[in-house]
Amino acid sequence: MTNIKWGILAPGNIAGKFAKDLELVADGEIAAVGSRSIERAEAFCKDYPNAKAYGSYEAFAEDPDVDVVYIASPHTYHYQHTLLCLKAGKHVLVEKPFAMDKAEAEEMINLAKEKELFLMEAFWTRFLPVTERILKDIAAGKLGALKYIQADFGFNAAFNPNSRLYDMNLGGGALLDVGVYPIFLANLLLGKPNELKAMTTKSPTGSDTATSILMNWESGASAMLSCSVNTDTPTEALICGSSSLIRIHSRWHESKSFEFRRHFSEAPEHIAFDDPGKGYKHEIIEVHNCLKSGLTESNKWSLKHTLDQVEILDEIREIIELQYPKPLS
Ligand SMILES: NC(=O)c1ccc[n+]([C@@H]2O[C@H](COP(=O)([O-])OP(=O)(O)OC[C@H]3O[C@@H](n4cnc5c(N)ncnc54)[C@H](OP(=O)(O)O)[C@@H]3O)[C@@H](O)[C@H]2O)c1
């Protein structure tokens, strides 16, 4: 099969990192870049001379050479940009958080199904070698029954009402930017919780600055999760079972190593992976594998996983009274 041709919609910070890791994947290339400004699209294309630059997302979406679009716009635009690309007949990989709420997510999923196109949330942590190995170890019974998950993700971003992290029009706040990672871990390993509690602090724009979440499952498992954008936190994860535990090193969501212990009093076994790149190549390879197999969703991070994730986020937002305006189109 010829190379899979990617289109990059919204060439910002993460799009640049994604494009660098795409260079590590043998059978993929960037065919087009779509920005709100032709200058920004052209600047991004300097490193990718075969890519066409577009100064509007609408014109970009119609490029006949693009197989699959990577959507890297701010959260509040994921819905409209996904619909735009699906309507133009493109497969879509859309950044996290998938959508702003369940209603948006369902519409996106329904359209992909109707059009028989591939759609996936870009939850790259799911595809990292560390995650694959941990899932294998858990399935093999190395931890016993899962009892407790502790995970955090926090970094210190100075308050700026116009930045993506604080502007409510762009989906600002800790929960949707980094809280999605600890929630992802709990959702991946234990599914939707039976009981959930949450508390937050807010910035002057109304965005959440530090959010804490407690979860319980019927199995007796529990989780303590947190996220923040106003202070650095360890950004580690602990997965504790009835017989042993795993600690994923900081920053756990992108870690290339973890440790396994029977007990905290015993020396850990260190497991590390030699894995060039930032880690995005693994989700890219998953998209390629799905497209080549004619799949319209990934089994590893399915649309059901995503929908559960969105429902958990909606529930937390209701508890902490976190509401966002719809973006202007
Ligand atoms: N997977 C990861 O590791 C990871 C890491 C960081 C961020 N993300 C996700 O990626 C998305 C983008 O984050 P980012 O940090 O890359 O943001 P960013 O640097 O601000 O880039 C976002 C891009 O979106 C476009 N855009 C469209 N409408 C916009 C608007 N109204 N205001 C501002 N920009 C607008 C802009 O490109 P043009 O104007 O040129 O089109 C901008 O460069 C977020 O949803 C975030 O959650 C994922």
Side-chain angles (χ1 to χ4, degrees), residues 58-297:
E58 289 73 17
F60 157 86
E62 296 299 332
D63 184 308
D65 288 335
V66 168
D67 299 313
V68 53
V69 175
Y70 170 60
I71 294 178
S73 47
H75 318 337
T76 40
Y77 291 88
H78 292 174
Y79 162 76
Q80 72 184 53
H81 292 155
T82 297
L83 294 190
L84 173 76
C85 295
L86 289 172
K87 282 177 186 163
K90 309 299 184 205
H91 303 293
V92 170
L93 174 70
V94 56
E95 259 308 337
K96 39 63 52 176
F98 185 74
M100 292 304 289
D101 57 29
K102 188 180 173 191
E104 283 189 0
E106 283 182 335
E107 210 179 316
M108 292 154 73
I109 290 170
N110 288 342
L111 184 62
K113 290 197 167 149
E114 187 190 312
K115 296 250 175 201
E116 298 180 355
L117 289 166
F118 177 84
L119 176 61
M120 187 175 96
E121 182 180 23
F123 236 110
W124 61 301
T125 304
R126 167 61 188 86
F127 307 101
L128 297 179
V130 161
T131 308
E132 293 281 12
R133 171 65 185 268
I134 288 172
L135 286 172
K136 221 165 121 190
D137 285 353
I138 291 173
K142 266 187 100 173
L143 270 72
L146 283 190
K147 293 292 178 192
Y148 177 67
I149 295 172
Q150 188 177 309
D152 69 298
F153 194 151
F155 68 102
N156 198 348
F159 177 68
N160 170 0
N162 302 316
S163 92
R164 185 177 71 68
L165 292 172
Y166 288 97
D167 183 346
M168 295 299 274
N169 291 306
L170 301 179
L175 181 69
L176 296 187
D177 201 62
V178 286
V180 293
Y181 285 98
I183 293 164
F184 149 81
L185 190 66
N187 179 15
L188 177 70
L189 300 182
L190 290 160
K192 273 175 70 182
N194 299 94
E195 204 184 346
L196 188 159
K197 300 208 184 308
M199 284 180 79
T200 198
T201 57
K202 297 229 173 121
S203 82
T205 61
S207 66
D208 67 308
T209 44
T211 299
S212 306
I213 303 149
L214 296 174
M215 293 178 176
N216 274 346
W217 286 260
E218 244 166 33
S219 64
S222 63
M224 187 164 81
L225 315 173
S226 71
C227 56
S228 89
V229 288
N230 66 0
T231 185
D232 291 334
T233 68
T235 309
E236 283 185 344
L238 282 175
I239 304 166
C240 307
S242 52
S243 59
S244 42
L245 60 93
I246 279 170
R247 182 202 293 269
I248 316 179
H249 300 124
S250 186
R251 296 185 322 160
W252 72 267
H253 74 294
E254 60 184 8
S255 183
K256 295 180 181 182
S257 65
F258 71 93
E259 63 186 46
F260 174 84
R261 290 177 192 244
R262 295 236 166 269
H263 193 272
F264 260 116
S265 61
E266 287 180 17
E269 178 192 347
H270 290 279
I271 293 117
F273 295 89
D274 180 15
D275 184 30
K278 186 92 179 108
Y280 300 109
K281 74 172 183 215
H282 302 287
E283 68 177 353
I284 295 170
I285 291 167
E286 174 69 3
V287 174
H288 287 193
N289 288 341
C290 289
L291 293 183
K292 286 178 177 179
S293 311
L295 295 176
T296 52
E297 65 179 290

